[in-house]
Amino acid sequence: MIISVASGKGGTGKTLVAASLALSLSDNYRVQLLDCDVEEPNANILLHLAMNQSQPVYIPIPKVDEAKCTYCGKCAEVCAYNAIAVLKGKVLVFPELCHGCGSCSYLCPESAITEEGREVGIVERGDSGNLELIHGRLAIGEAMAPPVIREVKKYIDPANIVIIDVPPGTSCPVVEAVKGSGFCLLVTEPTPFGLNDLSLAVEVVRKLGMPCGGVINRVGIGGEEVEKYCHREEIPVLLRIPLDRNIAMLYSKGIPLVEGVPRWREEFLRLFQDIKDISAVSRVAK
Ligand code: SF4
Ligand code: SF4
């Protein structure tokens, strides 16, 4: 089963939830936690695993053989990202804009384009007992998160319980991380910002057609609007984590909630059972 843990905005406690769920389940199951928040992968701040495997991630960018090029302009025409420009007697490639889609090399009538790899990040892996962590890390100054996320997701073993820590927001990296999941857990907080970003995240998840449920973190910091929204939209709130000085202190020290306060382990196991139940009902309804 693949469970995504997402949130419309950063700082809601998404990683706390993903790591706590992974740790709770790893007592009884083989669990993979995929940290796809590749701009700032921080699940290992809580898990403390030795990451003993590392591999670079490359995207293919075009290299033009000007001896074969007729400067017809076809490559620039097909590039949706303005990453290649054809001037009189010169073809310019802008590697930072290139998404490595391969369209230009495929459609060049003179076969003048070959491809070379450009490193955009790394994927690292570590494990301990039943728990395996794979995280991606974008290279500094790099904006191309989806290829790194795709590489992280190549490690998915469907025989395991897979938990994906999704990047915050609602843009392409989020869709790349979430797609293929059987359930999406949406972590939010009871504030106007939390509500706004939750509603955007719900739109994305609904477009992807997967069941979802909410986790409200820092209950007590704001009002009831998030609860009312979830009720209206028929999004079950599966877990509420109170605004609690001790929880914040544990997080700041890199201590997982379920280790700092063991009774939370039961709460996360119950959360997993709810996710399984909702997923089963959703499969039957389809
Ligand atoms: S499509 Fe090929 S031949 Fe035409 S300008 Fe681009 S590289 Fe040159
Ligand atoms: S590989 Fe795709 S994104 Fe990159 S320059 Fe060619 S067409 Fe544009």
Side-chain angles (χ1 to χ4, degrees):
M1 173 167 207
I2 304 178
I3 302 165
S4 281
V5 183
S7 76
K9 78 191 241 328
T12 56
K14 171 176 62 63
T15 299
L16 175 144
V17 171
S20 299
L21 186 58
L23 280 167
S24 304
L25 291 171
S26 68
D27 287 342
N28 299 310
Y29 304 93
R30 283 202 60 78
V31 179
Q32 290 180 303
L33 176 57
L34 271 50
D35 191 347
C36 289
D37 190 354
V38 298
E39 283 188 34
E40 205 179 349
N42 54 15
N44 208 24
I45 291 175
L46 294 171
L47 299 181
H48 312 288
L49 300 186
M51 304 301 275
N52 42 27
Q53 280 180 32
S54 174
Q55 70 169 79
V57 179
Y58 297 99
I59 62 168
I61 60 163
K63 185 176 175 204
V64 177
D65 180 350
E66 303 242 356
K68 289 184 181 170
C69 177
T70 58
Y71 308 105
C72 68
K74 186 85 189 163
C75 51
E77 213 177 283
V78 299
C79 180
Y81 306 100
N82 298 319
I84 190 161
V86 181
L87 311 174
K88 219 174 174 182
K90 188 78 194 157
V91 180
L92 297 177
V93 176
F94 305 102
E96 314 73 37
L97 299 180
C98 175
H99 283 54
C101 71
S103 303
C104 54
S105 58
Y106 183 70
L107 292 168
C108 171
E110 309 299 331
S111 301
I113 301 180
T114 52
E115 291 175 334
E116 57 186 8
R118 183 170 79 84
E119 189 173 331
V120 292
I122 55 167
V123 173
E124 295 178 314
R125 183 200 161 277
D127 61 5
S128 173
N130 273 345
L131 181 59
E132 181 183 10
L133 172 68
I134 301 108
H135 69 205
R137 191 182 297 281
L138 262 185
I140 292 169
E142 187 55 61
M144 218 64 73
V148 181
I149 293 171
R150 279 194 290 275
E151 285 304 313
V152 173
K153 291 181 78 177
K154 281 185 185 168
Y155 282 81
I156 288 177
D157 177 349
N160 298 326
I161 294 171
V162 180
I163 296 164
I164 298 181
D165 190 348
V166 175
T170 51
S171 56
C172 300
V174 174
V175 175
E176 193 65 55
V178 170
K179 70 184 181 190
S181 300
F183 190 91
C184 188
L185 207 50
L186 295 164
V187 184
T188 190
E189 58 183 22
T191 63
F193 287 128
L195 175 57
N196 178 65
D197 295 328
L198 172 65
S199 64
L200 296 174
V202 166
E203 273 181 45
V204 173
V205 172
R206 287 198 167 147
K207 281 202 175 107
L208 290 170
M210 69 185 58
C212 67
V215 173
I216 306 182
N217 190 18
R218 300 193 195 98
V219 170
I221 202 174
E224 293 292 311
E225 291 310 311
V226 168
E227 292 272 1
K228 286 181 188 161
Y229 166 83
C230 290
H231 183 69
R232 240 180 5 254
E233 294 294 323
E234 298 182 359
I235 298 163
V237 177
L238 303 178
L239 189 69
R240 294 171 181 83
I241 303 172
L243 178 67
D244 181 309
R245 192 184 166 85
N246 187 39
I247 293 175
M249 196 258 302
L250 289 170
Y251 189 78
S252 71
K253 289 185 171 174
I255 301 169
L257 176 57
V258 293
E259 284 177 7
V261 189
R263 74 172 175 81
W264 277 97
R265 213 166 268 261
E266 287 306 311
E267 293 291 327
F268 279 93
L269 291 175
R270 188 193 48 74
L271 169 66
F272 178 62
Q273 188 57 48
D274 287 346
I275 290 172
K276 280 203 303 186
D277 292 348
I278 295 169
S279 302
V281 170
S282 161
R283 275 197 301 275
V284 169
K286 281 181 185 169

